[in-house]
Amino acid sequence: MDKSDGTLVMRTRDFWASIVLIAVSVFFLWKTSDIPLWGENRAGVSGSDWYNSAAIVPLFIFGGLLILAFVLLTISIRSGGARTALSAVGIGWDKSEAYRASTIGLILMAYVVGLVPRVDFILCSGLLITALTFGFYGGHARRALVACIVIVIAGLFAFAVFPAQADWNAHGDDWFTLVVWVALTLLVLTKAASERVLRFVPLVAILAPLILVCAMAFVFRQNVPARGGLIFKQIEYHYYVTLRPLWKD
């Protein structure tokens, strides 16, 4: 495959990716419309001021995703991606692509279904960032498999041991995820001597979900996943008991 064919394959994949992203964005925007935004009462749920509405964050996220998807679709169409979407060149699928897509799919499924509802958001998201960076930076197939196995094990443990919603505030799955995350981080650091990018993975994996969940909870006043999680429970306690009184009194 020459360079022009490779570019065409990329643009065609952009076409299909944009179609999927548009469908996902529209679906979640439609579901978000059930959340009160302007203080109205829907399905027994009463809204307050618009800036305190739980609809704000998903509207921004999926609205922005929808705009980006349309931009990607436009670029793909202008570059000829739509014309070759069903051709052999347009598909351009091989074993390495299937392997990559399937491992990423399993990782995201374990994260969304098993970890997010049950495990502290900072822990499960830090594990996800570490696994994705380690597994897919540089195109190492073995690392991708290790990352997939790690996330799937953590997700299966949380899903199997704490299936009922009444048990989601238990911290057994939090501790298990923490141990798995620390073990994977140590593995990442063993490779960091030769790959400089990996040196920053632990810092990003901690700060990114920490900043995000604190912004959601204390700035936008949104519900966060697994609010009773091992780490966020302590953050929330010290925010309201230790820090907030400093400027409220």
Side-chain angles (χ1 to χ4, degrees), residues 13-234:
R13 290 174 183 170
D14 289 344
F15 173 80
W16 289 117
S18 63
I19 295 297
V20 173
L21 289 174
I22 288 171
V24 170
S25 301
V26 169
F27 172 78
F28 281 105
L29 286 172
W30 170 60
K31 297 300 291 183
T32 302
S33 66
D34 293 334
I35 303 174
L37 179 62
W38 303 109
E40 66 269 29
N41 188 298
R42 292 188 193 171
V45 179
S46 179
S48 55
D49 296 323
W50 67 270
Y51 49 82
N52 286 328
S53 172
I56 293 297
V57 171
L59 282 176
F60 271 107
I61 292 175
F62 294 107
L65 185 62
L66 182 63
I67 293 172
L68 292 175
F70 274 115
V71 171
L72 183 63
L73 179 63
T74 302
I75 294 173
S76 174
I77 292 174
R78 288 179 177 177
S79 303
R83 290 195 302 270
T84 57
L86 297 177
S87 69
V89 173
I91 295 173
W93 194 259
D94 56 30
K95 290 182 179 179
S96 62
E97 290 290 341
Y99 179 82
R100 183 183 179 89
S102 59
T103 50
I104 292 176
L106 286 172
I107 286 172
L108 294 179
M109 181 180 296
Y111 174 74
V112 172
V113 177
L115 294 175
V116 170
R118 301 166 178 83
V119 177
D120 182 275
F121 183 80
I122 297 172
L123 293 177
C124 66
S125 298
L127 176 61
L128 177 72
I129 293 171
T130 304
L132 288 177
T133 308
F134 175 72
F136 299 95
Y137 172 75
H140 301 281
R142 185 173 295 179
R143 289 188 189 179
L145 181 60
V146 171
C148 181
I149 291 173
V150 165
I151 294 287
V152 168
I153 287 176
L156 283 176
F157 178 85
F159 185 82
V161 178
F162 303 98
Q165 188 171 357
D167 300 326
W168 288 2
N169 285 329
H171 292 158
D173 48 358
D174 291 338
W175 284 109
F176 184 83
T177 303
L178 178 59
V179 170
V180 171
W181 183 16
V182 169
L184 183 60
T185 300
L186 292 175
L187 179 60
V188 170
L189 292 177
T190 62
K191 305 294 183 180
S194 57
E195 298 179 59
R196 188 175 181 180
V197 172
L198 297 181
R199 300 176 188 177
F200 302 98
V201 171
L203 182 63
V204 174
I206 293 172
L207 289 181
L210 177 64
I211 293 172
L212 177 60
V213 77
C214 288
M216 288 175 60
F218 308 127
V219 178
F220 297 103
R221 303 297 178 88
Q222 303 297 305
N223 287 326
V224 300
R227 200 175 191 100
L230 184 66
I231 295 179
F232 183 76
K233 184 177 182 180
Q234 298 302 317

